[in-house]
Amino acid sequence: MSSFDLTPPSPEQRVTLEAGLSADERRVLLQHGTEAPFCGVFLDNKREGTYCCRLCGLPLFRSSAKFDSGTGWPSFFAPYDEAHIGRVRDTSHGMIRVEEVCARCGSHLGHIFPDGPAPTYERHCLNSVSLSFVDAAQDLPDPLQRGGAEAGPA
């Protein structure tokens, strides 16, 4: 069970969080879009730290789970906590895939494919605009002001 509060943002909090999104972030996070391959700011990020949901700040992936998939999007083999991601059946574009969403706010993150490395053999293929990054020495974001684990170090 996660040590983070997974209660969705209130309607008022959601309005405030969404107001801070760029047009591209809004298109991907809220309208299930995809950024172009090989252009995301986190594709080649090699720093140690934590990747969080761009909208609500929930930690999603550790840098130690990142790998170069060659697909053009940041890829990870395991989430920060399985409870922090949601898996949704996606039948768009004439195929069956698994969409990945933030378990707290429901924002679209990317897709999960069964072709990743051991030990999970999963490839969490994410849009950079769906993420924020916190260096290992910094505190995790707490945009919902919930304190506890959310105010602690990455």
Side-chain angles (χ1 to χ4, degrees):
M1 182 159 178
S2 177
S3 60
F4 290 80
D5 183 349
L6 300 180
T7 306
S10 70
E12 296 81 16
Q13 288 172 320
R14 184 170 271 289
V15 167
T16 301
L17 294 172
E18 289 178 8
L21 297 177
S22 70
D24 203 32
E25 291 167 337
R26 183 176 296 277
R27 181 182 61 76
V28 173
L29 288 162
L30 307 179
Q31 300 165 358
H32 305 266
T34 300
E35 68 187 352
F38 299 103
C39 71
V41 298
F42 296 127
L43 178 61
D44 296 319
N45 184 26
K46 306 280 191 237
R47 298 181 319 207
E48 289 186 31
T50 305
Y51 294 85
C52 301
C53 175
R54 169 60 184 91
L55 187 67
C56 76
L58 187 67
L60 301 171
F61 296 91
R62 290 180 175 88
S63 60
S64 59
K66 189 171 188 276
F67 70 100
D68 183 0
S69 66
T71 61
W73 290 277
S75 298
F76 303 84
F77 61 82
Y80 185 96
D81 184 318
E82 189 64 38
H84 292 197
I85 63 165
R87 297 169 187 249
V88 179
R89 187 170 192 254
D90 178 1
T91 58
S92 65
H93 305 290
M95 62 182 101
I96 298 174
R97 302 182 290 177
V98 177
E99 177 188 10
E100 185 162 12
V101 298
C102 175
R104 178 159 61 189
C105 69
S107 291
H108 173 72
L109 305 171
H111 289 86
I112 304 169
F113 301 95
D115 59 2
T120 65
Y121 301 100
E122 290 187 329
R123 174 173 49 97
H124 297 256
C125 188
L126 305 181
N127 295 286
S128 286
V129 297
S130 296
L131 304 170
S132 63
F133 181 78
V134 179
D135 281 308
Q138 296 179 328
D139 287 345
L140 292 169
D142 188 13
L144 300 175
Q145 300 178 3
R146 295 185 174 172
E150 304 200 28

